[in-house]
Amino acid sequence: MNTQIDSSFTPDALVVGGGIAGLQSALDLADQGLKVLVVERQASIGGHMIALSKVFPTLDCASCITTPKMSAAAHHENITILTSTEVEAIESAGGVHHVKLLQKPTYVNFDKCIGCRLCEYACDTEYPDPFEEGLGAVKAIAVPFTNAIPQKAVLNAEHCSTCGTCARVCPTDAIEFDQQPRRLTIATDAVIVASGFKLNSITVKPQYNAQRSQDIISPLTLERLLAPHGPYGRVLRPSDGKIPGSIAFVQCAGSRDESIGVPYCSRVCCMYSIKQAMLLSGALPLADITIYYMDIRAFGKGYEQFFQNAKAMGINFVRGKVARIDPLDGGDLSLHVENTEEAENPIAERRHDLVVLAQGMIPGWNPAAATPVACAADGFVATTSLTAPTATVAPGIFVAGTAAGPKDIVDTIAEAGAAAMQASQYLFQKRAEALVG
Amino acid sequence: MSEKNENGLRRQDEEAQLECGEPGRDEAARVERAMEAARRQEAAEHQPEEEKLRIGVYICRCGGNISDVVDVERVAETVRLIPGVATAKVHTFVCSDPGQQTISNDILEENLDRVVVASCSPFLHEQTFRGAVARGGMNPYLYEHVNIREQASWAHKHDPAGATDKAIRMIAAAVGKLHHAAPLEQIKLPNHRRALVIGGGIAGMKAAADLAGRGIRVLLVEVSERLGGRLNERGAVYPSERSGDELVADLERRVRRDPNIEVLVSSQVTAVSGFIGNFKVQVQPVRPDAKARVIDTTVGAIVMATGFRPYVPRNGEFLYKNEPCVVTMPEFIQLMRSVKPDARTLTFGKREIRKIAFLHCVGSRQLDGVHEPQPDGKLNTYCSRTCCTTILQQALTVRERFPQIEVFDFYRDIRTYGRGEEAYYTEASKSGVVFFRYNGEEPPRVESAPAGRRARDGAVSITVKDTLTWGEELTLGVDMLVLGTGMTPGPIEDLIGQMKLPTGEDGFLQEVHPKLRPVELSVNGVLLAGTAQGPMNIQETLAAAGAAAVKAAAMFAKDNVELNPYVAAVDLDLCRGEAQCVTQCDYDGALTMVPMEVGGEMVERAQVNAGLCVGCGACVAVCPHRAIDLNGWRLDQYEAMVDGIAADIPGHECAADLVSIH
């Protein structure tokens, strides 16, 4: 995998984001013989998907689907990957996009690092591991996670004590404390924006009181708890390490809610909550699992059947929006909910010992500020073409995956292919015109 | 009583097994055994000696999916003892880049000449590891994949010792197989750089336009008289609210103008044979009297863009066909499109409509014991994905154009999931659409109103147990009931049969894997675009068509099509030309008898077409002379696998005690 390039490198296309959308777009371009540069902000490609436990509706382990695509991209002769790199701006002129990149210092020379992790083992400074959603600890210098690509150590300057131990144990002298941020501009004919999503804050709804209890968790935290190689190796509630006996999923906790500025549906929450509920009932057969919902949106291929299976497995589905969550003394959480299907006492207080808030998807990056790409009222990249859903308002710049609105993995992968098709056509036609002159 | 077999492993006594046989069969069995031993001897002579083999075994923890049950360290320790195994290593994710790197490095540094990976299903990662092996400079077909996840850790999660023993034995089988493996080469076939797109709806037109935009020639075949498919009947599309006709016209213009695209309407694909890179197709006019001719041509890839068929309710289903005012969604859209722009009222059958109800999930999300099965005995258990937003779009249109009409919506879950779709729900609520929510187990009842009260109360009444008001039972009379009918698979049974295409439980064409190969069918070179795969809205259909086109474009970027070499091979020394294999073969053209000269005499012998052979092995089973075998899966390899499973591994003492798996 080529990780060091300079401005003389002119790829046919540049893909912003090395998550599942960006990787699929890159592979679909590269398989047509086009040279692609993938730029990823994080220290590893793989995006959100590589951190998931299993994926609906097949219950394949997420790593099993993501790692081959990561590996295929990393080994592809037509793909170059830059990690720990951000896109600062795109300036388009005369049909060429000048993409301004900022390579953040990793304090490790990737040409020298052999991924042996001796520095990581020797380092004695730890901080909450972002890959484990803060549940485990990671060393200040470390390979980001087990199946990260590239397998190179990265030093986190914020947490480093500058003791120098890593430099002393490194067998290849790869540690460079004096690394500086590096700026470079890449000229390319086509860009695919695959910058993904983030979840809105877990405290976005003050009535859910997430700041008052560690046991009101994010769905991504539960993904890590459910992952076989997760922080605890099993499902324990974060506050006291107790095995949870009663788990609640609160749907639409950050979506379909004009009061928090997210009026739209985040499209994946129903299905991942159902999946997590199924996995939990496997991991904790005695646990009581309830999903509080407004509408179950199991719309994709095989999804409705998946939902019906979950019902048959004994997962409780309660139709009602949770109004408030109160942490109680002793660790339980009290949910105030109206069960609209209950004729007697529809308004009830229900107690659980772990609550998962289905936070909404919001854009991972706002390209409108520094690129010719425009965003729509929902904050995601605007697409206006009637017949090319992956075209942006800027010629030669395309969009794929959750950068253009919430989307599940299946739809993301299809859209990534479509964006690659649109970009390759654009390149083909541009070059055909150039030949005709 | 056991003896060493040619692999140096100890085999369980075979005499003991024979004693169980019927007396009359013993002699035949003995003869068969003798022949078998001779064959094995011969096979062994062709193989490298086991001491020379250096096999690397890589055992995956799969995070914990495997190692939580299977004692992977013990598996590694044990399989190291199997003759030929040079190294056995455990890795958290062998499929990850560092895992693959370990394999490639070991091949170079430890001079491995065979590799086994024991991990998940080969369906997921056989190709991944072949790639890693090839990067190490080894022939990728000297690699064996063992599935100790689905077949050991997941299958026997309550029996860790048994699962561990099973994993060891499965690896021993793979090692045995590798002792008889020969390097193989991918089959390279010529690639006809032209695609056939079946279906001229928006999926087909988009796929055709995308491919032509990359300079690839396309034959686009549409069975009806015009392009555009179902979208021609749709009117405004959500969420843009632009005209569907405009969308069709835009795509049609591109398709018609592009010199790379040949469009045939009123035509159907009547015959398909051949294989990826080289499909022979026949296209005929739908009506024999048409001037159009029969076309026989060759294409490299086929895109299935055959679309869907709207669900048509049974007669009497919610009084459909019994009451004229009960209509399906396509019928209602036609009614709305026929209304004059200046009309102040909506009339149907000369009667003014004052109250309309929309009913969701008609023909979708059907439940066992609640809904009547379809004529094929199946229920449409799936969600049709598009009906909720379509209903709300139509409900909103009615409220905007005819504010005097009261609109009622009977739903199970409102699924306005897509970008810009939730707004239809909020706007419909704001505009005064009244919602009732029913449980799937208790769908609303629709009844004809008594003759005297129809004018006042509406022609039909709907009774619903409304869960928005805590299960209250309500009855409502309406002048029109619109059934939110979903999507069903298109009428392509002939093509499915002829091309041997897989369909899912839902009847739609079934992709290989929803994430790994989402637009590919198990028939190589046949791709999926749009609602032939399952319900999709327009944006999703266009994206799926692009995804299908990009796979075809990538395939056409290469000069040759490359296929796995697991096909039948004929041993001409043994073939007697009896053609039993040809009779047995299920795949037209995969096996044929061809004349050839043997010993100065013209005879007929079996010949394999590598492009058409799927490697099923039916031919191998019927050949009385063992003259045909499968490359990569030869009978001697199966035998070695069985030996490997049954063998005691020196040092693996407890294997015989672990009877739980037997």
Side-chain angles (χ1 to χ4, degrees), chain A residues 46-392:
Chain A
H48 281 101
M49 189 178 169
I50 191 63
L52 305 181
S53 55
K54 294 189 178 183
V55 286
F56 61 81
T58 49
L59 293 182
D60 286 311
C61 79
S63 288
C64 306
I65 311 290
T66 325
T67 47
K69 300 221 192 226
M70 290 164 69
S71 186
H75 290 291
H76 205 295
E77 57 176 1
N78 292 331
I79 298 179
T80 305
I81 297 171
L82 285 183
T83 49
S84 300
T85 302
E86 286 181 5
V87 174
E88 290 194 310
I90 302 174
E91 286 168 9
S92 306
V96 178
H97 307 292
H98 300 275
V99 186
K100 303 198 161 179
L101 302 177
L102 172 68
Q103 279 189 287
K104 295 173 282 187
T106 58
Y107 305 102
V108 174
N109 183 328
F110 279 12
D111 287 341
K112 291 183 181 173
C113 176
I114 54 169
C116 68
R117 304 175 86 162
L118 287 179
C119 55
E120 182 176 340
Y121 303 142
C123 177
D124 60 6
T125 310
E126 292 179 334
Y127 68 100
D129 187 352
F131 185 74
E132 300 292 1
E133 296 291 320
L135 293 182
V138 64
K139 299 288 183 70
I141 186 165
V143 173
F145 49 90
T146 319
N147 37 7
I149 290 182
Q151 280 283 305
K152 304 284 181 190
V154 173
L155 185 148
N156 186 325
E158 243 178 87
H159 297 279
C160 175
S161 66
T162 64
C163 67
T165 307
C166 52
R168 281 193 293 279
V169 300
C170 178
T172 62
D173 279 334
I175 315 291
E176 294 176 348
F177 289 110
D178 58 350
Q179 249 186 29
Q180 296 298 317
R182 175 171 174 249
R183 288 195 157 78
L184 80 159
T185 301
I186 297 289
T188 185
D189 286 338
V191 173
I192 294 179
V193 176
S195 48
F197 72 95
K198 58 187 179 190
L199 293 183
N200 54 14
S201 164
I202 196 160
T203 57
V204 71
K205 282 189 78 70
Q207 50 277 56
Y208 289 166
N209 284 312
Q211 74 285 359
R212 287 178 50 204
S213 170
Q214 283 179 275
D215 299 329
I216 300 176
I217 63 170
S218 144
L220 291 177
T221 305
L222 185 55
E223 288 293 330
R224 294 313 304 154
L225 289 173
L226 286 165
H229 53 303
Y232 309 147
R234 55 197 185 129
V235 181
L236 302 173
R237 64 178 212 172
S239 68
D240 54 7
K242 186 181 145 220
I243 294 171
S246 173
I247 300 130
F249 289 87
V250 177
Q251 298 309 106
C252 301
S255 312
R256 300 182 65 191
D257 192 337
E258 290 189 15
S259 75
I260 56 168
V262 183
Y264 53 83
C265 166
S266 287
R267 198 164 164 158
V268 293
C269 326
C270 283
M271 287 304 292
Y272 72 61
S273 295
I274 294 170
K275 171 203 74 181
Q276 291 181 337
M278 280 177 149
L279 296 177
L280 274 176
S281 80
L284 310 169
L286 300 176
D288 189 47
I289 302 165
T290 308
I291 297 180
Y292 297 95
Y293 71 99
M294 300 205 287
D295 298 282
I296 290 294
R297 296 188 164 173
F299 55 82
K301 187 164 182 171
Y303 295 4
E304 176 69 20
Q305 296 88 329
F306 193 79
F307 165 44
Q308 297 299 338
N309 287 346
K311 283 215 278 195
M313 279 171 74
I315 289 153
N316 302 310
F317 287 83
V318 172
R319 191 188 175 280
K321 175 113 182 168
V322 173
R324 202 171 79 240
I325 304 172
D326 291 324
L328 303 175
D329 295 339
D332 275 5
L333 298 154
S334 158
L335 273 63
H336 299 267
V337 62
E338 179 191 28
N339 182 349
T340 62
E341 292 175 320
E342 192 76 50
E344 309 285 323
N345 303 322
I347 296 172
E349 190 233 329
R350 300 260 204 131
R351 292 197 180 184
H352 298 278
D353 51 14
L354 185 68
V355 172
V356 189
L357 297 185
Q359 292 159 263
M361 274 193 187
I362 56 175
W365 182 49
N366 175 12
T371 78
V373 173
C375 291
D378 58 9
F380 293 96
V381 171
T383 58
T384 51
S385 165
L386 201 53
T387 55
T390 58
T392 70

Side-chain angles (χ1 to χ4, degrees), chain A residues 28 32 71 75 296-297 340, chain B residues 100 214 414-415 467 551:
Chain A
D28 284 339
Q32 295 180 68
S71 186
H75 290 291
I296 290 294
R297 296 188 164 173
T340 62
Chain B
Q100 293 188 48
R214 280 284 283 112
I414 295 285
R415 294 185 166 173
T467 65
K551 288 287 173 250

Side-chain angles (χ1 to χ4, degrees), chain A residues 24-54:
Chain A
Q24 187 65 53
S25 287
L27 287 166
D28 284 339
L29 286 168
D31 283 348
Q32 295 180 68
L34 297 161
K35 298 274 179 210
V36 188
L37 174 64
V38 177
V39 176
E40 169 57 47
R41 180 161 57 184
Q42 303 289 337
S44 169
I45 54 170
H48 281 101
M49 189 178 169
I50 191 63
L52 305 181
S53 55
K54 294 189 178 183

Side-chain angles (χ1 to χ4, degrees), chain B residues 78-132:
Chain B
T78 310
V79 300
R80 269 186 211 119
L81 304 171
I82 302 175
V85 173
T87 182
K89 291 182 179 172
V90 176
H91 201 285
T92 303
F93 285 107
V94 183
C95 62
S96 70
D97 208 47
Q100 293 188 48
Q101 207 66 50
T102 308
I103 299 175
S104 316
N105 290 348
D106 285 1
I107 292 170
L108 296 167
E109 288 163 16
E110 304 206 24
N111 293 319
L112 301 181
D113 50 15
R114 304 278 194 278
V115 167
V116 174
V117 175
S119 58
C120 53
S121 160
F123 183 71
L124 286 174
H125 279 324
E126 192 171 42
Q127 291 307 323
T128 311
F129 297 128
R130 268 198 220 302

